[in-house]
Amino acid sequence: MNSDKTLTAIGLMSGTSVDGIDAAVIRTDGHEKVEWGHAITMPYDAPTRASVIRATKAALEGRDEARDIIDANELVTTAHIKAVKQLLSEADMAKTAIDVIGFHGQTILHRPPMDRSAPGRTWQIGAGAILAHETGIDTVDQFRRADIAQGGEGAPLAPVYHAALVGAQEGPVAVVNIGGVSNVTYIPADARLSGMIAFDCGPGNGLIDQWVYQHAGKEMDEGGKIALSGQIDEEAVALMALNPYVRRKPPKSLDRYDFKLGPVEKLNVEDGAATLAAFTAECIARSSSLLPEMPQEWIICGGGRHNPAIMAALKDRLSTSVFTAEDKGWRGDMVEAECFGYLAVRSLKGLPLSFPGTTSVQKPITGGSVHYTGRF
């Protein structure tokens, strides 16, 4: 395929927060050209969310053949089919206007390699072949498998899209996505892909969601209201920051369940939420010491930017400018969905998705499994 050809893609992302699906239309050549189309968010219904949580528990417990995982796979696939059809309907677009779907799937397990003697494991449920058949659109899924098979971390994969959004600038820039976990992409001033560094910093919204669900019966701390009414326990933040992962040099990646709530269990719900929000920011701030030089600005994407407690803590703990995605004219809630549309186009063209500096894979490699519909 002509590497300069512009294609129209739908990107689909359902993150480890297990709240639903973001779907976005993007036109791109897989390089610097990026144009956005219609986008939607479709929340998971309660049965699907509960099913994914049960499947994640089964995967973490090593019950690979569990009925919970089979059921969740079907429900997640069905939800993504509905999301594609709803997006096309709202955008008044025919399926023939879309060249490819980038289907991330729902992560239920992520275990990067402990050393280089054996590959790690990553598991995203959702059937790309069924999605392609039901929508009539060629679909790329399983974006992380090739990287894991080659000894990489399998994550993060967004850096190449972050670099396309940022482009060349006067100094280095850091793009941070705060989802279930938080990750950072370091983009050098010349925006060279070979100069990128990326890694998961630590928890994002995941620990806070877990905390407020256990102690307040809420799915999330909406608007950071609980955290904003509490006091930060800096001793607990410092204790949690002793986790060896925080000091480990990149590349590195996380599962959202790799950090525990023990250090905040003695706190009330408000102080616990405030402390966990501060810990998310602390991990991001500490990541700066692992970069070649201090970024001149930090751009925050993902759901965490909607939490004023996290944003306030970031501005307090980072010594340079902190912006939201919207400050830069981006669609902050859709960056990851757009990313997987972008990666699907790169996959079709055989372009690299991951790099030594982003996942520790030995050389830049492409990835993704393509499911063709045969409609052309």
Side-chain angles (χ1 to χ4, degrees):
M1 179 180 291
N2 181 354
S3 66
D4 295 327
K5 184 179 180 181
T6 298
L7 300 178
T8 302
I10 290 175
L12 301 172
M13 183 63 193
S14 46
T16 55
S17 296
V18 198
D19 49 2
I21 301 162
D22 293 326
V25 175
I26 180 173
R27 282 184 51 78
T28 181
D29 59 1
H31 297 288
E32 292 79 19
K33 182 177 180 180
V34 173
E35 299 173 358
W36 302 322
H38 194 67
I40 64 169
T41 294
M42 192 182 82
Y44 279 147
D45 58 28
T48 300
R49 188 175 193 275
S51 181
V52 170
I53 291 171
R54 289 194 299 270
T56 301
K57 184 175 185 293
L60 290 169
E61 293 172 351
R63 296 185 286 116
D64 288 8
E65 304 301 323
R67 184 72 214 182
D68 285 336
I69 296 176
I70 296 170
D71 291 344
N73 186 70
E74 294 175 357
L75 288 170
V76 165
T77 304
T78 298
H80 281 79
I81 292 168
K82 290 180 179 177
V84 170
K85 291 182 177 180
Q86 181 177 327
L87 176 66
L88 290 174
S89 176
E90 290 189 15
D92 194 22
M93 296 179 72
K95 65 184 180 182
T96 51
I98 307 298
D99 296 295
V100 66
I101 295 172
F103 177 28
H104 175 266
Q106 180 69 55
T107 297
I108 60 170
L109 183 73
H110 185 74
R111 286 287 178 259
M114 295 301 293
D115 54 49
R116 299 305 159 197
S117 62
R121 187 182 184 201
T122 191
W123 193 351
Q124 286 75 44
I125 59 173
I130 294 175
L131 184 73
H133 176 75
E134 292 296 321
T135 61
I137 303 169
D138 296 343
T139 298
V140 180
D141 68 352
Q142 301 303 334
F143 287 91
R144 304 184 190 275
R145 282 185 179 173
D147 186 84
I148 284 279
Q150 293 296 316
E153 296 274 332
L157 294 184
V160 67
Y161 182 58
H162 292 161
L165 290 177
V166 170
Q169 66 284 322
E170 292 183 0
V173 170
V175 179
V176 178
N177 183 76
I178 305 177
V181 301
S182 59
N183 56 66
V184 62
T185 300
Y186 171 88
I187 302 167
D190 56 11
R192 284 181 300 108
L193 299 185
S194 61
M196 291 189 304
I197 295 173
F199 52 91
D200 289 344
C201 310
N205 302 312
L207 278 184
I208 303 170
D209 292 348
Q210 186 179 344
W211 173 259
V212 298
Y213 182 77
Q214 290 179 3
H215 294 271
K218 298 180 180 293
E219 299 290 349
M220 60 183 293
D221 182 10
E222 189 169 357
K225 294 177 182 176
I226 297 174
L228 288 173
S229 63
Q231 297 294 317
I232 298 169
D233 185 330
E234 291 291 352
E235 288 187 6
V237 171
L239 181 60
M240 296 180 81
L242 293 176
N243 187 305
Y245 182 87
V246 177
R247 300 188 302 275
R248 202 176 106 201
K249 293 183 178 180
K252 55 182 180 175
S253 61
L254 281 169
D255 186 280
R256 69 169 283 181
Y257 297 100
D258 286 344
F259 284 81
K260 308 303 180 187
L261 292 170
V264 297
E265 288 291 3
K266 68 182 186 296
L267 303 178
N268 62 38
V269 61
E270 295 84 6
D271 291 352
T275 300
L276 291 170
F279 179 57
T280 290
E282 179 68 13
C283 288
I284 294 168
R286 290 192 181 210
S287 72
S288 64
S289 68
L290 303 173
L291 302 176
E293 58 180 303
M294 175 62 73
Q296 67 176 8
E297 58 186 40
W298 297 72
I299 305 172
I300 314 301
C301 308
R305 79 191 193 289
H306 293 307
N307 186 323
I310 293 177
M311 293 302 296
L314 281 172
K315 291 176 181 178
D316 182 56
R317 292 166 195 259
L318 288 169
S319 59
T320 53
S321 300
V322 177
F323 299 97
T324 65
E326 285 73 17
D327 292 333
K328 297 296 179 179
W330 304 354
R331 301 190 296 188
D333 288 322
M334 290 296 158
V335 170
E336 285 195 293
E338 294 163 5
C339 169
F340 282 94
Y342 180 84
L343 293 181
V345 171
R346 287 184 69 89
S347 179
L348 289 182
K349 295 183 176 188
L351 297 169
L353 309 188
S354 53
F355 303 81
T358 63
T359 68
S360 80
V361 72
Q362 293 299 303
K363 62 180 181 180
I365 62 168
T366 191
S369 298
V370 186
H371 305 279
Y372 294 104
T373 64
R375 60 192 171 97
F376 297 123

